[in-house]
Amino acid sequence: MTSLTRRLPGFAASHMDSSLLIPMLLLVAAFAMRWPFLGHPMIHVDEQFYLLAGQRMVEGWLPYVDFWDRKPVGLFLIFGAIRLMGGDGIVQYQLVATLFAAATAHAVYLIARRSVLPSAAFAAALIYVAMLAPINGAGGQSPVFYNLFIAWSALLVLRASDAPSEAAFRRYGCAAMISAGLALQVKYVAVVEGVFLGLWLLWTARGRFPGLTAILARGTWFAGAALLPTLAAAVWFAAVGAFQPFLQANFVSIFQREAAPVGFERDALMHSFRLLAFPFACTLAALMVSWARGIDRDRTFLLLWLVSAIGGFLAIGNYFDHYALPLLLPMSVILARLFAVRLAGPLIFALLFSQATVFGVLRYSPTSKGRAITAAMTADIESATAAGECLFVADTPMVLYLTSQGCAPWQYSFPFHLTDGTEAGAGGRNQPHAMRAILDARPGAIVTGAPHFTPTIQQYNMTLLKQRLDSDYFVVGRYPDRGRVYSVWIRRDLLPASQQNRIAFGNPAPAGDRQPPGAD
């Protein structure tokens, strides 16, 4: 703790920080803020896939071999553990994500408490949770999970900097790097923040260890600790004879992606900027207020942490809004210093909190509508899968794989690996071959979406899909949701002749856009 914290009155400095009061309050607040989205089955395509991947692992499928994606296995293990909780997995993964968000907020509180009073630190923790939803963090996006490990890594790095002895410095430093390494096994882009945290440790070690050799020796230990989870994953895949698929998916495929169109990246970047414009402006104001009081170690740390988080956001392109979720960690801690300003602080907190809460609720259609659409599409699909036919989701929502319980033996379950032009060849198998193999298996039901979701289109695959749909399938339902329309197609030989005739002659009941029961 800094000298400011040590001067605080006894209750504020010890009782509040050492008791369970703050984490319990943050847990209640996190559940309250995320309650409107609980049970929404279609918050985002990514987390639907993570839930499916978790289910596949429970069933014995091997990542990168039986199903393909480039995310680290740690993320799939989290969702696999969630599937062991039972139920349909939707509410379960969102509850676990809420626990992660609350724990991360507690770390935000503890970091902020190094320099501000409990009220301002608590406000910063609340802002972290509130700002998740507006930028697609209302459910289980990967940063909702790995932000926890980065936040605790940052806290441990700061405690290492304060450590009174070399032994304590090593303990805190190694724990911090292991935590950063766990973040890497949720998403590799966390490496940018992890490198910053490791370099900060070495910088603060300058006065502790004599000579460059001693500092580099500690750096080797810290780097090894950070890489330990990833090395453990690599060794395990090598032991089961799957090291090459692991290597290709985790470290090679990202360089095989084609760049998204400049116009798409510009628009995505501007969209993210608009979502974060006000909180980021407040963050800059907080930095100016803080730095006006002079330069100290924690202020420098927070500035560089923010810069590294921005670097991680910019590192992999596309600039989808949820890529900006890691920025919320340093932003929230920095904002605590603005919330501590008399009069202006509470007002700015109220404005930020209100904006984040309203934007978060407006971003998603009502949860009841999402459930109704999912149930209606599932009923359509089950007309085919109940007879043992397989399902192919060529677009979102992938949660239908779970709700319909239809067979889906596809290695490329994430649809955009087949339909996004930037992914051509990145999966270790060319897209047209993979798409033809799926369509040649003649799935009983296919789900499509419009307009296109991806920055570019794999034109050959989309043409092939359209040809098969036109020749072999009938659409039995179309469901509008948040600017897109999802269509459920059933193979024509599975439909009664009377239903085929109604659809063929354009009967509006089955073929027209329709709202599921209870959706209005």
Side-chain angles (χ1 to χ4, degrees):
M1 290 284 182
T2 63
S3 58
L4 170 62
T5 306
R6 288 193 294 268
R7 292 198 302 270
L8 292 174
F11 176 81
S14 58
H15 177 78
M16 180 170 283
D17 286 337
S18 62
S19 73
L20 292 176
L21 177 62
I22 291 298
M24 290 303 297
L25 288 176
L26 288 173
L27 184 61
V28 171
F31 273 101
M33 283 185 270
R34 295 165 73 87
W35 185 262
F37 320 119
L38 192 63
H40 195 309
M42 297 191 296
I43 289 180
H44 196 278
V45 58
D46 288 353
E47 51 207 74
Q48 294 175 50
F49 174 71
Y50 304 151
L51 188 63
L52 176 64
Q55 176 65 32
R56 293 293 186 249
M57 289 193 69
V58 170
E59 294 169 354
W61 292 37
L62 187 63
Y64 321 121
V65 177
D66 299 319
F67 68 90
W68 194 91
D69 195 67
R70 61 173 54 90
K71 297 295 189 301
V73 70
L75 180 61
F76 301 143
L77 288 172
I78 291 173
F79 277 84
I82 291 170
R83 287 306 292 128
L84 294 175
M85 297 170 64
D88 61 10
I90 297 169
V91 172
Q92 288 78 8
Y93 92 79
Q94 292 165 359
L95 289 175
V96 172
T98 299
L99 292 174
F100 270 74
T104 308
H106 186 220
V108 168
Y109 172 85
L110 293 174
I111 298 171
R113 275 287 288 113
R114 294 171 58 87
S115 55
V116 300
L117 293 169
S119 57
F122 187 71
L126 290 178
I127 283 295
Y128 169 77
V129 179
M131 288 196 300
L132 290 171
I135 51 176
N136 253 327
Q141 281 287 358
S142 58
V144 175
F145 295 99
Y146 77 72
N147 274 359
L148 172 64
F149 300 115
I150 290 295
W152 283 96
S153 178
L155 178 63
L156 290 167
V157 163
L158 289 170
R159 288 182 173 174
S161 303
D162 296 338
S165 67
E166 179 182 341
F169 178 84
R170 285 199 305 268
R171 285 197 305 271
Y172 280 124
C174 284
M177 289 297 96
I178 290 174
S179 187
L182 291 172
L184 285 182
Q185 272 304 299
V186 180
K187 193 169 183 180
Y188 286 118
V189 74
V191 69
V192 181
E193 289 174 274
V195 167
F196 156 68
L197 293 170
L199 291 175
W200 183 267
L201 272 177
L202 294 184
W203 179 258
T204 57
R206 290 173 300 126
R208 295 178 179 271
F209 308 110
L212 181 61
T213 302
I215 294 175
L216 291 178
R218 270 67 181 184
T220 302
W221 276 102
F222 293 151
L227 292 174
L228 187 60
T230 300
L231 290 174
V235 168
W236 189 89
F237 277 95
V240 298
F243 179 74
Q244 194 281 329
F246 168 83
L247 180 67
Q248 192 278 333
N250 283 259
F251 303 109
V252 177
S253 68
I254 190 65
F255 299 106
Q256 296 174 327
R257 287 178 57 188
E258 297 178 10
V262 173
F264 173 86
E265 294 202 332
R266 181 191 61 242
D267 293 345
L269 191 60
M270 290 306 299
H271 171 68
S272 298
F273 176 78
R274 285 192 296 270
L275 290 174
L276 286 173
F278 181 51
F280 193 76
C282 292
T283 302
L284 294 180
L287 282 172
M288 289 188 288
V289 168
S290 180
W291 281 71
R293 299 173 180 171
I295 299 175
D296 67 13
R297 187 180 59 196
D298 279 22
R299 290 168 188 152
T300 304
F301 176 87
L302 293 177
L303 174 62
L304 294 177
W305 186 12
L306 178 62
V307 170
S308 71
I310 294 172
F313 169 65
L314 297 175
I316 57 176
N318 286 345
Y319 310 127
F320 293 117
D321 49 13
H322 58 277
Y323 289 3
L325 287 168
L327 274 66
L328 301 186
L329 275 177
M331 285 174 60
S332 300
V333 178
I334 292 168
L335 284 167
R337 298 180 177 229
L338 191 59
F339 298 153
V341 176
R342 189 182 298 273
L343 299 180
L347 176 61
I348 293 170
F349 166 76
L351 290 173
L352 282 169
F353 187 83
S354 299
Q355 183 206 47
T357 303
V358 171
F359 279 22
V361 172
L362 292 178
R363 170 129 205 191
Y364 306 97
S365 61
T367 296
S368 58
K369 180 182 178 182
R371 286 173 173 165
I373 290 174
T374 303
M377 286 193 286
T378 299
D380 287 342
I381 292 165
E382 285 175 341
S383 66
T385 58
E389 298 290 338
C390 292
L391 167 66
F392 173 47
V393 179
D395 202 311
T396 56
M398 280 178 295
V399 71
L400 295 171
Y401 281 125
L402 298 174
T403 58
S404 69
Q405 298 182 347
C407 67
W410 324 124
Q411 184 185 29
Y412 293 92
S413 300
F414 191 72
F416 306 127
H417 289 149
L418 297 173
T419 58
D420 183 357
T422 66
E423 291 287 345
R429 183 181 185 185
N430 70 64
Q431 289 175 320
H433 184 279
M435 178 65 90
R436 280 196 305 270
I438 292 174
L439 296 177
D440 287 347
R442 303 185 74 238
I446 296 178
V447 179
T448 61
H452 294 296
F453 183 79
T454 56
T456 62
I457 301 169
Q458 218 295 0
Q459 195 60 58
Y460 178 89
N461 278 2
M462 295 305 296
T463 300
L464 180 61
L465 176 62
K466 183 179 186 303
Q467 290 172 347
R468 294 293 181 92
L469 291 173
D470 289 343
S471 64
D472 298 340
Y473 293 82
F474 285 115
V475 63
V476 297
R478 292 193 177 100
Y479 300 93
D481 179 54
R482 290 180 288 177
R484 304 194 78 217
V485 177
Y486 302 115
S487 300
V488 178
W489 303 74
I490 302 298
R491 205 174 66 228
R492 70 169 65 197
D493 61 287
L494 300 175
L495 293 171
S498 59
Q499 188 174 359
Q500 292 185 31
N501 291 335
R502 287 200 305 270
I503 297 172
F505 285 101
N507 183 286
D513 293 350
R514 60 183 182 177
Q515 294 286 348
D520 50 10

